[in-house]
Amino acid sequence: MRQGAQGSASTGTPWAVANPSGSSGQSGASGPPGQVRVPRQAGEVRGEHTHSEPAAPAAVRPVVQRASVRGQILDALRAALVAGDLRPGEVYSAPVLGERFGVSATPVREAMQQLALEGAVEVVPNRGFRVVERGVRELGELAEVRALIEVPVMLRLARTVPAERWAELRPLAEATVRAASSGCRATYAESDRGFHRAVLSLSGNVQLVRIAEDLHRRAQWPLVGGGRGVRGRAELLADAHEHTALLDALVARDLDVVRALVGEHFAGAAAAG
């Protein structure tokens, strides 16, 4: 639960797109079960220069599923951003990223434009997209804003939501522990957001959930040069166990423990920035 930007060291195979959206694949193509390679699309646009960007990692070209290519590419780019495969300050072009994913530049460019709207990257005319550089001050500011939004809501929900509703979130809390055990920051980031999203959804306020989700995602982007936001497996596990501790307190209606846990969580996140 403790928020922090992710480090620059990638875990796992870079640029692998293994069913990031969770949708089922079509049969009849090579690759792992449930996956197919998307053929190159006609009329590919190669508008960006690619000579100055980092060399592609030496890995087998990944595969994506046919359904919702743009959405899967967006999920894969977000995961690469959190894992540090997309490095702050570096410029990446859509055609070269398309080569890495085995698709045309079009869905990559559309996904990158969405990341630009979210503030993760910025457009570099005639070159591509630069990953935004940010420091620990921004991380602290994000933690402060998240606390202003989430802490009062969690305390209100602790007083009004019945214990059985909180118990229904147990699988999500346990999933964060399993994700942390893997040591993969991208996997844990997704699970972490899922737990927070489920808690805040009990408020019934769709706009609040959307805003909190955006802030949470931005808080997981990497810092320039790593910095104090880099967390290893032990820190991820400690973070995940805070989810289960909070859920236990919510089920028990122990408001003092709930208040202490959420207050300490966001105070610690702000201090990390």
Side-chain angles (χ1 to χ4, degrees), residues 69 253 259:
V69 175
R253 286 270 181 119
R259 185 179 294 105

Side-chain angles (χ1 to χ4, degrees), residues 122-202:
E122 57 188 8
V123 177
V124 181
N126 300 319
R127 291 186 62 195
F129 302 86
R130 177 184 290 112
V131 179
V132 171
E133 299 179 275
R134 69 190 192 110
V136 292
R137 178 174 180 176
E138 181 178 344
L139 180 63
E141 291 173 348
L142 286 168
E144 182 178 2
V145 176
R146 285 191 65 205
L148 291 172
I149 294 176
E150 294 192 39
V151 171
V153 174
M154 286 187 181
L155 293 177
R156 175 168 59 83
L157 293 175
R159 298 183 181 95
T160 59
V161 174
E164 56 268 22
R165 292 295 303 279
W166 291 121
E168 293 173 0
L169 303 186
R170 179 73 60 185
L172 292 175
E174 294 172 347
T176 66
V177 177
R178 291 194 299 272
S181 298
S182 73
C184 176
R185 290 185 292 273
T187 300
Y188 180 72
E190 182 66 27
S191 181
D192 184 23
R193 290 197 311 275
F195 177 78
H196 279 261
R197 182 169 57 247
V199 170
L200 296 177
S201 292
L202 294 176

Side-chain angles (χ1 to χ4, degrees), residues 23-47:
S23 57
S24 60
Q26 305 296 325
S27 61
S30 61
Q35 297 178 342
V36 297
R37 186 181 303 281
V38 175
R40 181 167 304 285
Q41 302 175 15
E44 174 177 321
V45 179
R46 293 179 173 271

Side-chain angles (χ1 to χ4, degrees), residues 67-156:
S68 185
V69 175
R70 175 189 174 276
Q72 291 186 70
I73 294 297
L74 178 58
D75 287 344
L77 288 172
R78 283 171 171 167
L81 184 69
V82 171
D85 292 327
L86 292 177
R87 300 190 295 274
E90 296 287 357
V91 177
Y92 299 87
S93 70
V96 169
L97 289 176
E99 289 286 345
R100 295 177 179 180
F101 288 118
V103 300
S104 77
T106 300
V108 177
R109 186 176 292 109
E110 291 172 349
M112 277 293 203
Q113 288 169 347
Q114 176 59 39
L115 288 178
L117 292 176
E118 296 175 4
V121 301
E122 57 188 8
V123 177
V124 181
N126 300 319
R127 291 186 62 195
F129 302 86
R130 177 184 290 112
V131 179
V132 171
E133 299 179 275
R134 69 190 192 110
V136 292
R137 178 174 180 176
E138 181 178 344
L139 180 63
E141 291 173 348
L142 286 168
E144 182 178 2
V145 176
R146 285 191 65 205
L148 291 172
I149 294 176
E150 294 192 39
V151 171
V153 174
M154 286 187 181
L155 293 177
R156 175 168 59 83

Side-chain angles (χ1 to χ4, degrees), residues 247-267:
L247 198 56
D248 289 340
L250 289 167
V251 170
R253 286 270 181 119
D254 192 332
L255 299 184
D256 289 337
V257 173
V258 171
R259 185 179 294 105
L261 283 172
V262 296
E264 179 184 352
H265 159 53
F266 286 107

Side-chain angles (χ1 to χ4, degrees), residues 40-57:
R40 181 167 304 285
Q41 302 175 15
E44 174 177 321
V45 179
R46 293 179 173 271
E48 297 92 345
H49 299 304
T50 61
H51 60 276
S52 61
E53 65 183 272

